[in-house]
Amino acid sequence: MIDVSNLHISFDTRDVLNGVFLDVNAGETLVLMGRNGSGKSVFLKIIAGLIKNYSGTVKINGNDINGIYSPEGFDKSYSEIKIAYVFQKGGLFDSMSVFDNTAFGLRRLGFNEDEIFSRVDSVLDRVGLKGSEYKLPSEISGGMQKRAGLARAICIDPEIILYDDPSAGLDPILSDSIADLIIDIKKDSNTTAIAVTHDLAVAKKIADKIALLYEGEIVFWGIPDDFFSKENKFAKQFIEGDPIGPIDIFSQ
């Protein structure tokens, strides 16, 4: 599904990603972890086609994304590949209601209003926002904003969902509910996903594979059981939050 080979990108002479190799199988959830500033969100934005000045190869279903994300827009031959991006803080439009935020992607894709109403109504019910359709983002809680961002993403029936720290800033109970939603979305739609998170409980719950980034490279890649076994010295330090170990806490 997603195949990344020798991915490099630098900003202001600083190497952010320095030869990343990984793959995500269809229907699989990869959790990407690492320190702040380790390049996790940059990686997501490359997959989404938002950042282009990289070297290396990124393929989706065997097609190089430089062909999918052409300057003229999506190449028609890849029009069935729908990728949804769930922003860290919800990324909602302040002046739009929850309903209109959720309907945004469908309207961009040209759906008629009857189908939009049906899809949005169903999705908002699914994420627990029925009754809040016509509230503005400022009128709902942070957790509800996260769920509205999820609703907007799944409304277009994406093949791939990119989650940028979906539980950031939430208490453990709300974080767990977001993790449950991510699992439900995968079960219902068989979506392929990459999720960036610092939340170890969320990672353990949703991941099929975990990748740990440090200094632009993948220093652990494997199943959650192996990550949480702490046999990998990088994973052990990251999990325990120990200042002493192979991860230099003062480096950027």
Side-chain angles (χ1 to χ4, degrees):
M1 170 61 76
I2 302 172
D3 186 16
V4 177
S5 298
N6 201 27
L7 183 62
H8 290 257
I9 189 167
S10 301
F11 297 107
D12 298 326
T13 72
R14 175 178 170 257
D15 293 333
V16 177
L17 299 175
N18 189 25
V20 170
F21 291 80
L22 59 81
D23 58 80
V24 188
N25 297 321
E28 189 172 71
T29 297
L30 171 73
V31 167
L32 187 60
M33 308 190 83
R35 295 181 55 213
N36 289 334
S38 62
K40 302 182 300 297
S41 293
V42 169
F43 181 85
L44 281 193
K45 289 172 183 174
I46 289 172
I47 301 298
L50 300 174
I51 295 176
K52 301 179 185 297
N53 58 321
Y54 63 86
S55 63
T57 305
V58 181
K59 293 183 178 181
I60 296 175
N61 287 345
N63 299 304
D64 194 301
I65 63 171
N66 285 320
I68 299 172
Y69 307 128
S70 64
E72 296 77 24
F74 280 93
D75 186 307
K76 290 181 180 179
S77 63
Y78 307 124
S79 62
E80 293 305 310
I81 299 174
K82 296 189 180 75
I83 300 177
Y85 196 108
V86 180
F87 295 91
Q88 184 178 125
K89 296 181 179 179
L92 303 178
F93 297 104
D94 294 341
S95 60
M96 290 185 184
S97 68
V98 169
F99 183 96
D100 288 332
N101 266 288
T102 307
F104 182 80
L106 295 174
R107 288 183 173 136
R108 294 278 291 179
L109 290 169
F111 283 79
N112 66 62
E113 287 299 314
D114 287 341
E115 187 164 3
I116 287 171
F117 180 85
S118 176
R119 283 201 184 203
V120 172
D121 185 64
S122 174
V123 166
L124 290 179
D125 184 43
R126 183 176 171 187
V127 302
L129 289 176
K130 199 73 177 286
S132 299
E133 297 94 328
Y134 301 108
K135 291 181 179 180
L136 294 172
S138 60
E139 297 173 321
I140 60 177
S141 69
M144 293 171 78
Q145 289 178 28
K146 296 268 191 185
R147 282 183 277 147
L150 278 171
R152 180 175 58 190
I154 64 177
C155 218
I156 64 169
D157 288 333
E159 192 172 350
I160 297 168
I161 303 182
L162 307 174
Y163 299 97
D164 193 354
D165 218 346
S167 63
L170 300 181
D171 63 57
I173 295 172
L174 285 175
S175 293
D176 192 61
S177 71
I178 292 294
D180 285 339
L181 271 173
I182 291 171
I183 291 168
D184 287 344
I185 290 164
K186 176 184 171 181
K187 286 179 179 176
D188 292 346
S189 307
N190 196 37
T191 52
T192 303
I194 301 176
V196 164
T197 185
H198 295 101
D199 191 321
L200 293 169
V202 169
K204 192 171 190 176
K205 190 165 191 175
I206 70 171
D208 295 303
K209 297 280 180 58
I210 294 176
L212 180 63
L213 264 176
Y214 176 59
E215 293 192 338
E217 299 179 5
I218 301 293
V219 293
F220 174 88
W221 184 85
I223 62 174
D225 284 350
D226 288 345
F227 181 78
F228 286 100
S229 74
K230 304 181 188 178
E231 292 181 10
N232 177 282
K233 59 185 179 180
F234 292 94
K236 182 177 188 295
Q237 184 184 359
F238 188 82
I239 293 164
E240 295 181 348
D242 192 338
I244 299 172
I247 298 173
D248 183 352
I249 65 170
F250 299 109
S251 69
Q252 287 293 335

